[in-house]
Amino acid sequence: MLNRFLHDLTRWRYIGLGLSVILTLYCAWLLWAHGLQLGLDFTGGSLLEFRIDTLRSTHELNALLTAPLKGAVELHPAGVPGEWLIKLPEHALAWTPQELASLLGQQFDLPVELLRTTQVGPQVGAELLEQGMLALLAASVAIAAYLAFRFEWRQAIGVLVSVLHDALVALGLIALFGIEFDLNVIAGLMAVIGYSLNDSIVISDRLRDILSSRQPPAIHECTNRAVIATFSRTLITSGTTLFTVGALLLFGGEALYGFSFTLFTGILVGTLSSITIATPVQELLGLSPNAYQKEEVLPEGA
């Protein structure tokens, strides 16, 4: 019974690897075809916040807009009841914020109060984008160095491929759904990288212990035993984290949507990739029990 289950687990791990390759290629195509919708943090522009006390939904308010505002502005919920956001590129508005508030009040037939105006220049946005990319690069280099120090090189490559897969899939889905790529999304990506790394390392640590034991079984069975031994821990950790991030995704509002979507997607994909990518890749690279078996030192004259 156990041997049949272990054999089936090997088959499902490699099926998962094939599906992950297809998903990775699809997400790479999404990034090439659609690109990332850069937010105001990177492109520069204005963020206007208004108070409009109404029970109407976002869709209903935007449907009430008429010329000259219709097509020029779009309201977004700010995450606080009665507060709304309008995001505009640099020099895209023909009115001052106060004039825009007056026009909105006339079209909605409601009092509209301008709460605050935030402006980001294009030069500052370019610097933020460069710094964000450098932060992701520095995190990737640090992870690669850590893996090279801690594990045998084939295990390290398997974990690294898994982490890169998770980040690429998260970016591809962001491009697919047209979510703004801003500093919150970069923070979410860094959290995803850390979470995915931790998940893969737990399995790799257990596998290293099994490979280091006396007379370990074949590599496929060693890997399956490591996955099974850590499965309950992975399921509990991922389940509780996804529940928390899911609540943030549903109720966190517009400001945290990009961060929570990135984190939710990355954790879900990362939990699977630690099993379906990290473990098959290291097996395909030729990992075997010999990698961690200590050579016996024979006494002199033996």
Side-chain angles (χ1 to χ4, degrees):
M1 183 74 175
L2 179 60
N3 292 335
R4 177 61 182 274
F5 177 74
L6 293 176
H7 176 74
D8 289 343
L9 182 57
T10 299
R11 180 165 58 89
W12 284 112
R13 284 194 296 110
Y14 277 85
I15 291 175
L17 176 62
L19 295 176
S20 297
V21 171
I22 295 173
L23 179 61
T24 301
L25 294 175
Y26 176 63
C27 288
W29 177 83
L30 286 173
L31 288 173
W32 175 79
H34 297 279
L36 293 172
Q37 182 180 337
L38 298 180
L40 295 181
D41 292 342
F42 302 138
T43 61
S46 302
L47 179 65
L48 310 178
E49 299 182 48
F50 300 92
R51 172 170 290 279
I52 308 174
D53 293 320
T54 178
L55 297 178
R56 291 190 176 98
S57 66
T58 307
H59 177 73
E60 291 173 332
L61 283 179
N62 286 316
L64 291 174
L65 294 175
T66 58
L69 296 183
K70 188 176 182 60
V73 299
E74 183 179 358
L75 289 166
H76 301 275
V80 178
E83 294 188 9
W84 308 85
L85 303 174
I86 292 180
K87 302 176 182 179
L88 297 167
E90 189 76 8
H91 307 302
L93 192 62
W95 310 276
T96 65
Q98 292 77 10
E99 291 172 341
L100 178 59
S102 177
L103 286 171
L104 289 171
Q106 293 173 16
Q107 297 198 1
F108 294 152
D109 194 21
L110 290 169
V112 176
E113 177 188 358
L114 176 64
L115 297 178
R116 62 187 65 86
T117 301
T118 305
Q119 292 185 333
V120 179
Q123 182 176 358
V124 174
E127 292 177 357
L128 289 174
L129 179 60
E130 181 181 354
Q131 292 171 0
M133 293 298 101
L134 286 176
L136 284 176
L137 178 62
S140 301
V141 171
I143 287 171
Y146 169 77
L147 292 175
F149 172 77
R150 181 160 184 174
F151 294 110
E152 200 265 350
W153 68 271
R154 282 162 286 208
Q155 272 191 293
I157 290 178
V159 174
L160 187 59
V161 170
S162 172
V163 171
L164 293 176
H165 162 271
D166 300 339
L168 180 59
V169 170
L171 285 173
L173 293 178
I174 288 171
L176 175 64
F177 292 107
I179 298 172
E180 283 193 355
F181 185 79
D182 54 16
L183 291 175
N184 288 334
V185 172
I186 287 184
L189 282 174
M190 297 187 73
V192 165
I193 289 173
Y195 191 94
S196 175
L197 178 68
N198 176 72
D199 215 18
S200 298
I201 283 178
V202 169
I203 297 177
S204 297
D205 265 336
R206 182 57 181 155
L207 176 59
R208 183 177 59 181
D209 293 340
I210 296 174
L211 293 176
S212 301
S213 62
R214 288 181 175 271
Q215 298 180 346
I219 182 60
H220 295 292
E221 185 175 345
C222 289
T223 303
N224 293 339
R225 291 182 182 277
V227 171
I228 294 172
T230 58
F231 183 75
S232 60
R233 181 262 182 203
T234 300
L235 190 63
I236 293 172
T237 304
S238 299
T240 53
T241 308
L242 281 174
F243 180 81
T244 304
V245 177
L248 185 63
L249 180 63
L250 293 175
F251 306 111
E254 181 80 13
L256 293 176
Y257 184 77
F259 171 79
S260 54
F261 178 87
T262 304
L263 197 54
F264 185 88
T265 303
I267 291 174
L268 183 62
V269 175
T271 302
L272 296 174
S273 69
S274 62
I275 299 174
T276 61
I277 292 183
T279 58
V281 166
Q282 60 195 19
E283 291 174 355
L284 292 173
L285 290 175
L287 181 67
S288 68
N290 294 332
Y292 287 105
Q293 291 295 308
K294 297 180 179 179
E295 297 182 1
E296 295 184 4
V297 180
L298 298 176
E300 293 184 4

